Amino acid sequence: GVVLCVLRRGAYWLASAGPQIGSGAPTGRVFASGNTSGFPSGGFSELSLMTVDDKASATLDGVALFSDVVVGGGETGFAAIGATDWVALEYDSVKIEQAGPRWAPPSAPCSPAAAGGAVYARACATNGFAADDQVFELLASFAVRHAPSGLSPSRSLWTTIWLTF
């Protein structure tokens, strides 16, 4: 995913991973960075991050930090709010809204799972949706099982992976 960090004094960055606890530096690829006026003392601010397809835009108190920065489009959608250290934070309100076109459950382009059927790889559905052909469980034995069918992939001497009981 992408992480937007804005420090109290105004330094900010958009990265592929957030900072480690107690650190002010991102640990992933930085897509955008800069400085802004920072957060006012004793008041609330409005921070906005929007990602649509492969681009991200953000504002702080209505002022653009960056717009349409390319971040890649392979993410599956999630949101989190936090801090770079163990500090007291107060939130007046939090709002998470849908953005972009991918807000419908996907159809499964693969045929229904059956014993002896091949296993295929494809891009994951986005925004918390999953098609039946993408739902697998990790078992205690470290094997995987296709949840809807109860079948597990196995490999023969050839390169194809097959579904078995």
Side-chain angles (χ1 to χ4, degrees), residues 29-58:
R29 178 178 166 210
V30 176
F31 300 109
S33 64
N35 286 289
T36 187
S37 60
F39 295 102
S41 184
F44 288 101
S45 289
E46 183 177 306
L47 181 63
S48 168
L49 171 64
M50 181 174 65
T51 60
V52 175
D53 294 326
D54 66 342
K55 295 186 174 83
S57 302

Short mmCIF file of all heavy atoms in Angstrom, two decimals, residues 29-58:
data_model
loop_
_atom_site.label_atom_id
_atom_site.label_comp_id
_atom_site.label_asym_id
_atom_site.label_seq_id
_atom_site.Cartn_x
_atom_site.Cartn_y
_atom_site.Cartn_z
N ARG A 29 9.91 2.71 -0.70
CA ARG A 29 10.15 3.63 -1.83
C ARG A 29 9.37 4.91 -1.61
O ARG A 29 8.17 4.88 -1.31
CB ARG A 29 9.72 2.94 -3.12
CG ARG A 29 9.88 3.80 -4.33
CD ARG A 29 9.49 3.07 -5.59
NE ARG A 29 9.35 4.04 -6.65
CZ ARG A 29 8.54 3.92 -7.66
NH1 ARG A 29 7.79 2.84 -7.77
NH2 ARG A 29 8.45 4.85 -8.57
N VAL A 30 10.01 6.06 -1.77
CA VAL A 30 9.35 7.36 -1.61
C VAL A 30 8.85 7.83 -2.97
O VAL A 30 9.62 7.99 -3.91
CB VAL A 30 10.31 8.39 -0.99
CG1 VAL A 30 9.66 9.76 -0.92
CG2 VAL A 30 10.76 7.94 0.40
N PHE A 31 7.53 8.07 -3.05
CA PHE A 31 6.91 8.54 -4.29
C PHE A 31 6.87 10.06 -4.36
O PHE A 31 6.95 10.64 -5.43
CB PHE A 31 5.48 8.01 -4.40
CG PHE A 31 5.39 6.51 -4.41
CD1 PHE A 31 4.87 5.85 -3.32
CD2 PHE A 31 5.83 5.77 -5.49
CE1 PHE A 31 4.77 4.46 -3.31
CE2 PHE A 31 5.75 4.39 -5.50
CZ PHE A 31 5.22 3.73 -4.40
N ALA A 32 6.70 10.73 -3.20
CA ALA A 32 6.65 12.19 -3.14
C ALA A 32 7.09 12.62 -1.75
O ALA A 32 6.89 11.90 -0.78
CB ALA A 32 5.24 12.70 -3.42
N SER A 33 7.70 13.80 -1.66
CA SER A 33 8.09 14.34 -0.36
C SER A 33 8.19 15.85 -0.48
O SER A 33 8.23 16.40 -1.57
CB SER A 33 9.43 13.75 0.09
OG SER A 33 10.46 14.13 -0.79
N GLY A 34 8.19 16.51 0.67
CA GLY A 34 8.30 17.96 0.68
C GLY A 34 8.09 18.52 2.07
O GLY A 34 8.13 17.79 3.06
N ASN A 35 7.84 19.81 2.12
CA ASN A 35 7.58 20.51 3.38
C ASN A 35 6.36 21.39 3.22
O ASN A 35 6.13 21.96 2.16
CB ASN A 35 8.78 21.36 3.79
CG ASN A 35 9.92 20.51 4.30
OD1 ASN A 35 9.83 19.95 5.38
ND2 ASN A 35 10.98 20.39 3.50
N THR A 36 5.60 21.48 4.29
CA THR A 36 4.43 22.34 4.33
C THR A 36 4.47 23.09 5.65
O THR A 36 5.42 22.97 6.41
CB THR A 36 3.13 21.51 4.15
OG1 THR A 36 2.03 22.40 4.04
CG2 THR A 36 2.92 20.55 5.29
N SER A 37 3.45 23.88 5.92
CA SER A 37 3.45 24.70 7.14
C SER A 37 3.35 23.88 8.42
O SER A 37 3.61 24.38 9.50
CB SER A 37 2.31 25.71 7.08
OG SER A 37 1.07 25.03 6.97
N GLY A 38 2.98 22.62 8.33
CA GLY A 38 2.89 21.79 9.52
C GLY A 38 1.54 21.92 10.20
O GLY A 38 0.61 22.55 9.70
N PHE A 39 1.44 21.31 11.37
CA PHE A 39 0.19 21.31 12.11
C PHE A 39 0.16 22.48 13.09
O PHE A 39 1.15 22.76 13.76
CB PHE A 39 0.04 20.00 12.90
CG PHE A 39 -0.11 18.80 12.01
CD1 PHE A 39 0.96 17.95 11.78
CD2 PHE A 39 -1.32 18.52 11.40
CE1 PHE A 39 0.83 16.84 10.97
CE2 PHE A 39 -1.47 17.41 10.58
CZ PHE A 39 -0.38 16.57 10.36
N PRO A 40 -0.99 23.16 13.20
CA PRO A 40 -1.08 24.26 14.16
C PRO A 40 -1.06 23.72 15.59
O PRO A 40 -1.50 22.61 15.86
CB PRO A 40 -2.43 24.91 13.84
CG PRO A 40 -3.22 23.83 13.18
CD PRO A 40 -2.24 22.96 12.48
N SER A 41 -0.53 24.50 16.49
CA SER A 41 -0.49 24.10 17.90
C SER A 41 -1.86 24.30 18.53
O SER A 41 -2.48 25.34 18.37
CB SER A 41 0.56 24.94 18.63
OG SER A 41 0.67 24.52 19.95
N GLY A 42 -2.34 23.28 19.23
CA GLY A 42 -3.59 23.42 19.97
C GLY A 42 -4.86 23.33 19.16
O GLY A 42 -5.93 23.69 19.64
N GLY A 43 -4.81 22.89 17.92
CA GLY A 43 -6.02 22.80 17.11
C GLY A 43 -6.02 21.55 16.26
O GLY A 43 -5.07 20.77 16.26
N PHE A 44 -7.10 21.36 15.53
CA PHE A 44 -7.22 20.21 14.65
C PHE A 44 -6.86 20.61 13.22
O PHE A 44 -7.00 21.76 12.83
CB PHE A 44 -8.64 19.66 14.66
CG PHE A 44 -8.98 18.94 15.93
CD1 PHE A 44 -9.74 19.56 16.91
CD2 PHE A 44 -8.54 17.64 16.15
CE1 PHE A 44 -10.06 18.91 18.08
CE2 PHE A 44 -8.85 16.98 17.32
CZ PHE A 44 -9.61 17.62 18.29
N SER A 45 -6.40 19.65 12.46
CA SER A 45 -6.11 19.84 11.05
C SER A 45 -6.89 18.81 10.26
O SER A 45 -7.32 17.78 10.80
CB SER A 45 -4.61 19.66 10.77
OG SER A 45 -3.88 20.74 11.28
N GLU A 46 -7.05 19.06 8.97
CA GLU A 46 -7.70 18.11 8.09
C GLU A 46 -6.68 17.59 7.11
O GLU A 46 -6.11 18.34 6.33
CB GLU A 46 -8.85 18.77 7.34
CG GLU A 46 -9.60 17.79 6.45
CD GLU A 46 -10.79 18.43 5.76
OE1 GLU A 46 -11.64 19.01 6.45
OE2 GLU A 46 -10.83 18.35 4.51
N LEU A 47 -6.44 16.28 7.18
CA LEU A 47 -5.49 15.61 6.29
C LEU A 47 -6.28 14.68 5.39
O LEU A 47 -7.11 13.91 5.85
CB LEU A 47 -4.48 14.82 7.12
CG LEU A 47 -3.39 14.07 6.36
CD1 LEU A 47 -2.50 15.04 5.58
CD2 LEU A 47 -2.55 13.26 7.34
N SER A 48 -6.02 14.74 4.09
CA SER A 48 -6.75 13.93 3.12
C SER A 48 -5.77 13.21 2.21
O SER A 48 -4.82 13.82 1.72
CB SER A 48 -7.66 14.84 2.29
OG SER A 48 -8.17 14.15 1.17
N LEU A 49 -6.00 11.92 2.01
CA LEU A 49 -5.25 11.13 1.04
C LEU A 49 -6.25 10.40 0.17
O LEU A 49 -7.15 9.73 0.68
CB LEU A 49 -4.34 10.11 1.74
CG LEU A 49 -3.66 9.08 0.83
CD1 LEU A 49 -2.69 9.75 -0.13
CD2 LEU A 49 -2.95 8.02 1.67
N MET A 50 -6.12 10.53 -1.13
CA MET A 50 -7.00 9.83 -2.06
C MET A 50 -6.15 9.06 -3.05
O MET A 50 -5.22 9.60 -3.64
CB MET A 50 -7.90 10.82 -2.82
CG MET A 50 -8.85 10.11 -3.78
SD MET A 50 -10.06 11.20 -4.58
CE MET A 50 -9.01 12.26 -5.55
N THR A 51 -6.47 7.77 -3.22
CA THR A 51 -5.81 6.97 -4.24
C THR A 51 -6.88 6.44 -5.19
O THR A 51 -7.90 5.93 -4.76
CB THR A 51 -5.02 5.79 -3.63
OG1 THR A 51 -5.92 4.96 -2.91
CG2 THR A 51 -3.91 6.28 -2.72
N VAL A 52 -6.64 6.61 -6.46
CA VAL A 52 -7.53 6.10 -7.51
C VAL A 52 -6.65 5.49 -8.58
O VAL A 52 -5.76 6.14 -9.11
CB VAL A 52 -8.41 7.21 -8.11
CG1 VAL A 52 -9.22 6.68 -9.27
CG2 VAL A 52 -9.32 7.83 -7.06
N ASP A 53 -6.91 4.20 -8.85
CA ASP A 53 -6.12 3.44 -9.81
C ASP A 53 -4.65 3.50 -9.40
O ASP A 53 -4.30 3.05 -8.34
CB ASP A 53 -6.38 3.91 -11.23
CG ASP A 53 -7.81 3.61 -11.66
OD1 ASP A 53 -8.36 2.58 -11.23
OD2 ASP A 53 -8.38 4.41 -12.43
N ASP A 54 -3.79 4.10 -10.21
CA ASP A 54 -2.36 4.11 -9.89
C ASP A 54 -1.84 5.47 -9.45
O ASP A 54 -0.65 5.71 -9.45
CB ASP A 54 -1.56 3.61 -11.09
CG ASP A 54 -1.64 4.56 -12.29
OD1 ASP A 54 -2.55 5.42 -12.32
OD2 ASP A 54 -0.79 4.45 -13.19
N LYS A 55 -2.73 6.38 -9.02
CA LYS A 55 -2.31 7.73 -8.64
C LYS A 55 -2.82 8.11 -7.25
O LYS A 55 -3.86 7.64 -6.81
CB LYS A 55 -2.82 8.74 -9.66
CG LYS A 55 -2.20 8.55 -11.04
CD LYS A 55 -2.61 9.65 -11.98
CE LYS A 55 -1.89 9.54 -13.29
NZ LYS A 55 -2.47 8.62 -14.21
N ALA A 56 -2.05 8.97 -6.58
CA ALA A 56 -2.41 9.44 -5.24
C ALA A 56 -2.33 10.96 -5.19
O ALA A 56 -1.49 11.58 -5.84
CB ALA A 56 -1.49 8.85 -4.19
N SER A 57 -3.23 11.56 -4.41
CA SER A 57 -3.25 13.00 -4.16
C SER A 57 -3.51 13.22 -2.69
O SER A 57 -4.20 12.43 -2.04
CB SER A 57 -4.36 13.69 -4.98
OG SER A 57 -4.19 13.44 -6.37
N ALA A 58 -2.97 14.32 -2.13
CA ALA A 58 -3.17 14.60 -0.71
C ALA A 58 -3.25 16.10 -0.46
O ALA A 58 -2.65 16.90 -1.19
CB ALA A 58 -2.05 14.00 0.12
#
